[in-house]
Amino acid sequence: MADSSNTSSSTAATTTANPPAIRSWADEADEIDQAEKSSAANENDSAEPQIGSLQIDETKRVKNSTLDDPEDSRIEAVTSGDTLYKSAKRFEDLNLSPELLKGLYVEMKFERPSNIQEISLPMILTPPYKNLIAQAHNGSGKTTCFVLGMLSRVDPKLAAPQALCICPTRELAIQNMEVLLKMGKFTGITSELAIPADAANYIPVSKRPPVSAQVVIGTPGTINKWVTARKLGMSCMKILVFDEADHMLAETGFQDDSIRIMKAIVKASADSQVLLFSATFGENVKAFVTKIVRDLFVKDYNQMFVKKEELSLDSVKQYKVQCPDELSKVMVIKDKILELGQKVGQTIIFVRTKNGASMLHKSLVDYGYEVTTIQGALKQEDRDKIIKEFKEGLTQVLISTDLLARGFDQSQVNLVVNYDLPVRHESPSEPDHEVYLHRIGRAGRFGRKGAIFNLLCNDRDSMLMSKIENHFNSQVTEIASWRSDEDFENALKKAGLL
């Protein structure tokens, strides 16, 4: 299976043009023409099973199975065995090296662990190192949990791969590497990205030297190629992390590649710790994940989860806008959201397809707006450049397929627009609740204020929106008129952005 971040083969793909037929997991198939329209044309490649409530088998509960009065009661932890865990109110409670503490305080500028960190970090860092299946809100600090876990387990004196993090996209892999380099700045720990190289830097896997970096972060296709070619050894591996684990192990995701990597690690280093992190875990996926972890690693595992009814973002305000046609959706973005949005921060606009992204990009550019667009068919170096410019604040508006729906962290994003609502791959008449949750999680990171605008164009859109509201038991406020400047201004004021 190719990398999700790579839209064709991860070998010499970057030397070719960008044919329209190329499709990434996060880009919905475009409609070819009217005669060939089918329900499949509206499928979303990143769909997953419906969100479940993460019910825990009560028979697995044991004494001492809860942490000491976590501040955030919405986060529940279930531990196995007799290991006692105490919530970490301070990073000093975690027995970290002085170099790591310096990275946390000086580089990351943290003051204390977040709620999710104070609960999960003791489970990650306390011997014996048990596996962990962890679910928590978007923007709650999950990345710090597993990056700190990897850095804390590495022996800086051993020049061999000891920690591996697998991500669904190159963008997420690069972002996680940036966090690791910052947090581990004073440790001397080495690291390497395992993502498809751009055309200028491409080297055949057979000609590259064996990996000696202590931490490897990458996408599943490239990692599997390195493992198969015996360039990435597993014999010293201590910790394996799956970021966006529900997608990595779902049938519609990267299940085959992920299991292959797990088996390679078990064969070479059976005592490795496995951390599975995501904001969402559907019941089907969770059942499969727990079975894989239990069967492959034959050891105790801990769990941390958020109740289904708590899977929302209180810091963001959600709105729906009834638009009579496609042109009015463009006009709403142009005249209302972007005009007002210039005052409040950056904006991400989500669309279903690559063609939809191109159409909206052209429309806004023709109106004189500076926008950038990212989707799976772009060359890798172009994708990297677009993300870099957006993260540096050089561009304010980014149009994206669901390539950036998961994990993308940019603190200045205060507005998210769903130009198209996400639908499920296997059933286009059903909304993809998980993708919706991930999309709105791009705004309001770490408790900041944010607003979401859902643009509805027909009865189907209204039906999808109604199902999303029912699923999350949350009524989304309707903007009275798509033409009213005052209505949009009031919406942003209620969101705390104006």
Side-chain angles (χ1 to χ4, degrees):
M1 182 183 294
D3 288 326
S4 71
S5 58
N6 191 14
T7 52
S8 59
S9 168
S10 63
T11 54
T14 51
T15 62
T16 62
N18 299 318
I22 290 176
R23 184 180 180 187
S24 165
W25 72 267
D27 300 335
E28 184 186 327
D30 290 304
E31 296 173 354
I32 305 303
D33 57 40
Q34 288 297 115
E36 294 179 353
K37 273 189 181 180
S38 70
S39 61
N42 289 318
E43 291 173 359
N44 187 301
D45 264 328
S46 59
E48 292 131 19
Q50 189 174 4
I51 292 177
S53 58
L54 294 180
Q55 295 297 321
I56 301 300
D57 184 354
E58 292 297 324
T59 64
K60 300 293 184 183
R61 286 189 180 272
V62 294
K63 62 179 180 179
N64 305 322
S65 64
T66 57
L67 298 176
D68 294 351
D69 301 323
E71 286 185 4
D72 192 340
S73 60
R74 296 175 300 179
I75 301 172
E76 296 187 23
V78 179
T79 64
S80 61
D82 297 322
T83 306
L84 289 170
Y85 301 101
K86 183 176 177 61
S87 294
K89 302 297 183 182
R90 307 177 308 150
F91 287 112
E92 284 82 359
D93 298 336
L94 296 167
N95 196 30
L96 300 171
S97 70
E99 293 80 11
L100 268 177
L101 286 173
K102 186 176 180 182
L104 288 167
Y105 290 128
V106 175
E107 289 298 308
M108 303 299 291
K109 303 195 184 311
F110 289 160
E111 295 180 359
R112 59 175 298 277
S114 68
N115 291 327
I116 179 77
Q117 291 159 6
E118 72 175 60
I119 295 172
S120 66
L121 284 172
M123 291 193 284
I124 294 171
L125 300 176
T126 303
Y129 302 108
K130 295 182 181 178
N131 298 332
L132 174 64
I133 300 171
Q135 175 211 21
H137 292 295
N138 288 299
S140 61
K142 296 188 299 295
T143 304
T144 293
C145 296
F146 62 74
V147 169
L148 191 56
M150 290 192 294
L151 288 169
S152 68
R153 297 294 307 283
V154 167
D155 177 1
K157 298 176 183 177
L158 176 60
Q162 301 168 57
L164 177 62
C165 176
I166 306 174
C167 315
T169 66
R170 67 184 285 111
E171 286 76 17
L172 192 51
I174 292 170
Q175 179 176 285
N176 287 342
M177 180 61 79
E178 290 170 349
V179 174
L180 183 130
L181 290 173
K182 200 172 182 181
M183 194 183 300
K185 180 177 179 179
F186 306 105
T187 63
I189 291 171
T190 58
S191 57
E192 184 169 353
L193 272 172
I195 59 177
D198 57 38
N201 299 312
Y202 171 70
I203 300 173
V205 66
S206 60
K207 294 184 179 180
R208 65 153 293 136
V211 178
S212 60
Q214 293 154 334
V215 181
V216 178
I217 300 177
T219 46
T222 297
I223 288 171
N224 257 317
K225 286 182 179 178
W226 290 9
V227 172
T228 302
R230 302 195 180 281
K231 299 294 184 178
L232 176 56
M234 299 292 189
S235 59
C236 298
M237 200 63 67
K238 298 176 181 177
I239 183 168
L240 168 64
V241 176
F242 282 95
D243 193 6
E244 304 300 340
D246 62 327
H247 184 72
M248 302 300 293
L249 289 163
E251 290 183 21
T252 54
F254 303 97
Q255 191 179 97
D256 291 344
D257 273 348
S258 298
I259 292 174
R260 199 172 294 124
I261 293 167
M262 279 187 174
K263 286 182 176 178
I265 288 181
V266 169
K267 185 177 180 181
S269 182
D271 290 333
S272 292
Q273 180 184 28
V274 180
L275 308 180
L276 303 170
F277 274 87
S278 183
T280 51
F281 270 111
E283 280 298 331
N284 293 339
V285 175
K286 181 179 179 293
F288 178 78
V289 167
T290 53
K291 184 178 187 304
I292 285 293
V293 170
R294 185 174 60 246
D295 292 353
L296 276 183
F297 293 89
V298 197
K299 60 193 288 190
D300 289 342
Y301 62 92
N302 297 324
Q303 300 177 75
M304 182 180 69
F305 61 96
V306 181
K307 291 182 179 179
K308 172 186 166 182
E309 57 268 24
E310 300 289 354
L311 281 174
S312 62
L313 292 177
D314 297 333
S315 61
V316 301
K317 293 289 185 181
Q318 300 174 61
Y319 299 100
K320 55 188 176 184
V321 186
Q322 296 289 346
C323 302
D325 49 41
E326 286 281 328
L327 179 59
S328 60
K329 287 168 72 173
V330 176
M331 301 301 283
V332 164
I333 291 175
K334 175 179 79 75
D335 294 333
K336 307 298 188 293
I337 296 171
L338 296 190
E339 284 296 322
L340 292 168
Q342 291 177 359
K343 305 175 185 177
V344 301
Q346 292 175 299
T347 301
I348 296 180
I349 305 172
F350 284 109
V351 295
R352 282 193 197 129
T353 69
K354 296 190 291 288
N355 282 349
S358 300
M359 178 279 295
L360 182 58
H361 181 103
K362 184 179 186 305
S363 296
L364 293 176
V365 169
D366 287 347
Y367 281 120
Y369 286 87
E370 290 186 10
V371 300
T372 52
T373 298
I374 189 166
Q375 38 92 348
L378 291 176
K379 292 180 180 178
Q380 290 146 10
E381 54 263 45
D382 292 335
R383 284 164 60 170
D384 293 346
K385 181 173 182 288
I386 288 166
I387 292 298
K388 184 174 184 291
E389 290 177 348
F390 191 68
K391 285 203 165 190
E392 291 177 351
L394 300 177
T395 54
Q396 294 298 303
V397 181
L398 182 59
I399 301 169
S400 177
T401 58
D402 281 325
L403 192 70
L404 298 185
R406 286 175 170 269
F408 181 67
D409 185 17
Q410 171 65 353
S411 61
Q412 299 307 311
V413 173
N414 291 324
L415 294 180
V416 166
V417 180
N418 283 322
Y419 186 87
D420 301 309
L421 292 173
V423 295
R424 295 180 63 182
H425 177 78
E426 69 278 10
S427 180
S429 63
E430 294 297 319
D432 192 317
H433 304 114
E434 295 183 357
V435 172
Y436 181 83
L437 188 65
H438 282 284
R439 281 186 183 185
I440 69 174
R442 297 318 100 211
R445 304 292 288 172
F446 300 100
R448 297 183 179 92
K449 301 296 184 182
I452 316 298
F453 290 95
N454 298 287
L455 306 187
L456 315 180
C457 191
N458 50 39
D459 290 342
R460 178 175 177 271
D461 287 345
S462 296
M463 176 268 293
L464 291 170
M465 192 73 245
S466 177
K467 288 183 176 181
I468 289 171
E469 291 173 311
N470 290 337
H471 181 83
F472 290 109
N473 193 26
S474 174
Q475 188 66 34
V476 175
T477 303
E478 184 167 346
I479 301 291
S481 170
W482 69 274
R483 297 179 182 274
S484 171
D485 291 346
E486 184 179 358
D487 287 348
F488 282 90
E489 194 166 340
N490 287 337
L492 292 178
K493 286 179 179 177
K494 288 180 181 178
L497 295 174
L498 288 179

